[in-house]
Amino acid sequence: MTVHNETARLAALRRLDLLDTPPSEAFDRITRMAARLFDLPIAAVSLTDADRQWFKSKVGVEHWSIPRLQAPCAAVCDGDNFLVIPDLLEDEHFRDSPLAASGVRFYAGAPLTDRDGHTLGAMCVLGTAPRQITAAERDVLTDLAAMVMAQIELQHTLGRIDPISHLPNRNQFLDDFADLPKARPHGAPALAVLLHLASPAQLANAARVMSSCYLDAMVNEAVRSLSIRLGGTTRMYQLGPTQVALIAPQGTSAATCRAALASWVDERDLWSTSRFVTTPAAGIAPFTVGETAALDVLRFAESAVQDAFAAGAAVAVYSSAQDAAYLRRFTLLNEFGRALAQPDQLRLVFQPRVDLASGACVGAEALLRWRHPQLGDVSPGEFMPIVEQTSMARPTTAWVIDAALRQMAAWRAAGLRLPLSVNVSAPNLLEADFADRVLALLCQHDIEPGQLELEVTESAAMENLATAHATLARLHGAGVRVAIDDFGTGYSSLAYLQSIPAHVVKIDQSFVRGMEHDARKGSLVTAMIGLSHDLGYRVVAEGVETDHARVLLREAACDEAQGYFFARPLEPAALCAWLRERAPGQPLREAALVE
């Protein structure tokens, strides 16, 4: 074989990415068949590398490779022909070979030839006694070799190899993972690695201005450099446009793997042409061979990658605690969607707002509560931040406003006119029809606009400023009251604050709680009250828990307050009872107890 042909042959072999891959049942099935058909103890699918014969599949052989020198399979490859050696000890080329020294006497090998005519190795059978081969047996071994090549081509061309990077894909990863117990001890610890070559935001930006070739080049240069870093023997898989996975070499510790990947990322100036606009991140997922499912391992690795991006780190190792938190988050999202469709799980409770000068209840804040049939009571502090980041923000706010207005109508029929405030999330303010829908609900329930107050945070009001302000201005102009919620925790810019069309400022409880014991907090709250009054707002203090705090707020001229000192959030019937106890002379018929 000429040097040129050998170079091309080796290139063809390496393109298939078969060398040093785990055993595969698809190939093992053919090898077992060969051993049975020939009634011989040894059979193998042997691939001829530059200096070795490597066995993709084997029966009756303990080792995974032998030297290429004096190996009969290498002779099959060199001659591109079927080879039969009736007795190695009688053959001048092989009598001194390591194979003969191991006790092998008979050899027959059919070439594994690809579509371009390159012989990659041999389908071979071996025995410990001399023998001959019949024409029928020769045909059988040739057919088995063709079956092996068909399997190789199938894996390479039909849903197994990425056409651009030529890396094996997700399907091949799953198959190789399933075959991993054949190459490593069952129960042994192992590591899977998932690389994202760019963050989702970076990919989105690249997609807007660059062609797909940009991403292809990013993958190819990353794979080349990582292959060099890992020594060229670790098989990599392309799971997505810019996602690459691998199984770390046996015995690699998480610390060693993490250090190697972090070093590779840190050195991207040396290999990445997109280093200024993309930042790779890697997730490491420890698993147990033969015990952990492939899809679970991929999910663990993906979770670790997202942890790395969130922390601004190059590499993260899977955390079961973090994973449990994300699973909980995902479960809550799914279950809350069902709760909206079956609203018997949802209800409103109401926390009174008290005028500090007179002590009278002048309104209440409507708060959403969720009681899941299996999970029990889920805190709004847990589920609302999740909901507000999804498309469920719109139907959730719509449900709360509708339920609040229905309760107001019921109370009004019972002789109670109690204004209610409802929280509105940032996405609601960006809905083109939000103001119109609120006004339509007010009309539907025959509630005066001034009886409803919508609470928005400073941050929500500042997000997409023009659209949010237009929505708030429309509501404000229609008579709906607007409150700036959690004042002091958002932008707190005077320029922005004075431009928000609002009536009320609610000082966040983090400033109010404990102010009676903290002079600096007290001074800060007093300054907030004065500033808000100067800008024309009515001021409500949240989180009032002691009478001392109430007195301090009243002395600071705060208008209203709410908190546990006055009442916890109450069910509708409990709120009516609280009002009756607080103002015995107030006309309030029993019908107001109807929820």
Side-chain angles (χ1 to χ4, degrees):
M1 181 179 293
T2 66
V3 173
H4 173 75
N5 288 342
E6 174 65 358
T7 301
R9 189 194 69 80
L10 287 173
L13 175 62
R14 293 199 167 89
R15 274 198 302 272
L16 295 173
D17 203 22
L18 282 173
L19 293 172
D20 299 302
T21 58
S24 167
E25 180 62 24
F27 292 100
D28 289 350
R29 192 177 294 116
I30 300 173
T31 306
R32 291 194 298 268
M33 184 186 303
R36 286 195 297 267
L37 288 172
F38 283 82
D39 193 23
L40 289 172
I42 304 171
V45 173
S46 174
L47 299 176
T48 305
D49 199 0
D51 57 359
R52 60 174 176 157
Q53 291 297 141
W54 182 80
F55 303 124
K56 174 60 183 174
S57 177
K58 57 192 175 65
V59 170
V61 180
E62 293 298 324
H63 41 267
W64 285 100
S65 66
I66 61 174
R68 178 173 176 172
L69 184 65
Q70 288 189 300
C73 288
V76 173
C77 199
D78 292 340
D80 298 329
N81 290 316
F82 196 106
L83 176 64
V84 178
I85 307 174
D87 187 349
L88 268 70
L89 293 181
E90 297 298 324
D91 189 290
E92 62 177 334
H93 296 293
F94 299 106
R95 63 167 58 103
D96 298 324
S97 68
L99 208 57
S102 70
V104 173
R105 299 289 296 276
F106 169 76
Y107 173 91
L112 300 175
T113 307
D114 68 8
R115 295 179 180 180
D116 296 323
H118 299 120
T119 299
L120 308 179
M123 173 76 244
C124 60
V125 290
L126 301 91
T128 55
R131 63 164 286 182
Q132 295 293 332
I133 186 171
T134 68
E137 287 176 327
R138 179 185 289 265
D139 291 342
V140 167
L141 195 57
T142 300
D143 287 343
L144 291 174
M147 291 172 63
V148 169
M149 279 310 304
Q151 184 62 37
I152 291 174
E153 295 289 349
L154 181 67
Q155 289 194 2
H156 189 70
T157 59
L158 298 181
R160 300 287 175 168
I161 300 295
D162 183 87
I164 304 299
S165 68
H166 302 294
L167 290 178
N169 63 11
R170 177 188 174 90
N171 291 334
Q172 191 62 54
F173 175 88
L174 296 177
D175 281 354
D176 288 351
F177 191 94
D179 290 329
L180 197 58
K182 297 180 180 181
R184 302 190 186 187
H186 188 282
L191 300 173
V193 175
L194 180 63
L195 293 166
H196 283 216
L197 301 179
S199 70
Q202 290 168 344
L203 287 179
N205 290 334
R208 297 185 69 173
V209 297
M210 305 295 287
S211 69
S212 60
C213 295
Y214 177 78
L215 299 182
D216 297 338
M218 182 195 308
V219 172
N220 288 331
E221 65 185 9
V223 167
R224 281 195 301 270
S225 64
L226 189 58
S227 179
I228 294 171
R229 171 56 64 95
L230 298 177
T233 60
T234 301
R235 193 179 202 195
M236 287 178 275
Y237 304 82
Q238 186 164 359
L239 304 192
T242 57
Q243 298 172 18
V244 176
L246 58 92
I247 304 296
Q250 189 169 354
T252 304
S253 68
T256 300
C257 185
R258 184 172 193 161
L261 291 169
S263 177
W264 174 74
V265 172
D266 289 343
E267 293 174 359
R268 63 185 181 275
D269 285 355
L270 302 177
W271 55 263
S272 175
T273 57
S274 59
R275 60 190 180 277
F276 299 116
V277 292
T278 60
T279 307
I284 301 173
F287 67 95
T288 304
V289 174
E291 297 181 11
T292 315
L295 294 180
D296 287 338
V297 170
L298 289 180
R299 186 176 67 78
F300 297 160
E302 178 65 36
S303 179
V305 171
Q306 297 307 320
D307 288 343
F309 276 129
V315 189
V317 179
Y318 167 75
S319 162
S320 57
Q322 283 286 80
D323 187 53
Y326 283 118
L327 282 175
R328 168 81 173 180
R329 175 189 177 100
F330 186 76
T331 299
L332 290 181
L333 274 177
N334 279 331
E335 292 301 312
F336 190 80
R338 294 188 180 95
L340 278 175
Q342 303 170 350
D344 56 302
Q345 297 182 31
L346 304 176
R347 70 189 193 283
L348 294 182
V349 294
F350 305 89
Q351 186 170 41
R353 274 173 40 179
V354 175
D355 182 88
L356 287 174
S358 66
C361 177
V362 292
E365 180 178 357
L367 299 166
L368 182 61
R369 293 294 184 265
W370 178 20
R371 179 167 293 164
H372 188 273
Q374 282 79 46
L375 301 175
D377 288 323
V378 184
S379 167
E382 182 179 15
F383 71 82
M384 280 308 298
I386 302 172
V387 169
E388 288 175 350
Q389 296 175 21
T390 70
S391 60
M392 286 189 288
R394 176 185 175 106
T396 300
T397 301
W399 189 93
V400 171
I401 294 176
D402 182 64
L405 294 177
R406 278 190 286 108
Q407 184 63 73
M408 291 171 71
W411 278 332
R412 183 186 58 195
L416 174 64
R417 293 177 63 83
L418 187 69
L420 289 181
S421 60
V422 173
N423 290 283
V424 173
S425 63
N428 297 132
L429 299 181
L430 305 183
E431 297 166 13
D433 62 342
F434 179 70
D436 290 336
R437 287 190 293 111
V438 171
L439 298 177
L441 285 171
L442 286 166
C443 183
Q444 176 184 328
H445 293 285
D446 193 24
I447 301 295
E448 297 175 7
Q451 292 293 101
L452 176 67
E453 182 176 273
L454 300 180
E455 299 186 11
V456 298
T457 64
E458 296 172 74
S459 299
M462 294 305 114
E463 189 172 316
N464 201 327
L465 193 61
T467 302
H469 279 213
T471 299
L472 292 175
R474 171 91 165 90
L475 292 165
H476 185 281
V480 177
R481 294 177 65 80
V482 176
I484 301 171
D485 195 18
D486 299 340
F487 178 65
T489 63
Y491 288 86
S492 299
S493 164
L494 295 182
Y496 287 149
L497 186 60
Q498 67 179 352
S499 70
I500 299 175
H503 305 83
V504 174
V505 162
K506 299 187 76 174
I507 298 177
D508 186 69
Q509 60 184 343
S510 62
F511 299 101
V512 176
R513 188 177 292 124
M515 63 177 289
E516 63 272 34
H517 307 299
D518 189 330
R520 294 185 66 182
K521 271 190 175 182
S523 298
L524 185 58
V525 169
T526 298
M528 288 179 177
I529 294 169
L531 172 63
S532 299
H533 281 159
D534 290 343
L535 293 173
Y537 298 120
R538 187 171 176 84
V539 182
V540 180
E542 298 179 297
V544 180
E545 297 181 347
T546 66
D547 186 52
H548 192 183
R550 178 193 66 82
V551 171
L552 291 176
L553 288 165
R554 182 174 177 177
E555 291 175 350
C558 185
D559 301 296
E560 300 175 29
Q562 68 183 84
Y564 288 178
F565 174 74
F566 303 103
R568 291 175 176 270
L570 302 169
E571 304 287 343
L575 177 62
C576 290
W578 181 86
L579 288 169
R580 190 177 293 108
E581 291 173 2
R582 194 172 183 85
Q586 182 176 351
L588 182 63
R589 299 198 302 272
E590 289 300 317
L593 299 179
V594 179
E595 298 182 17

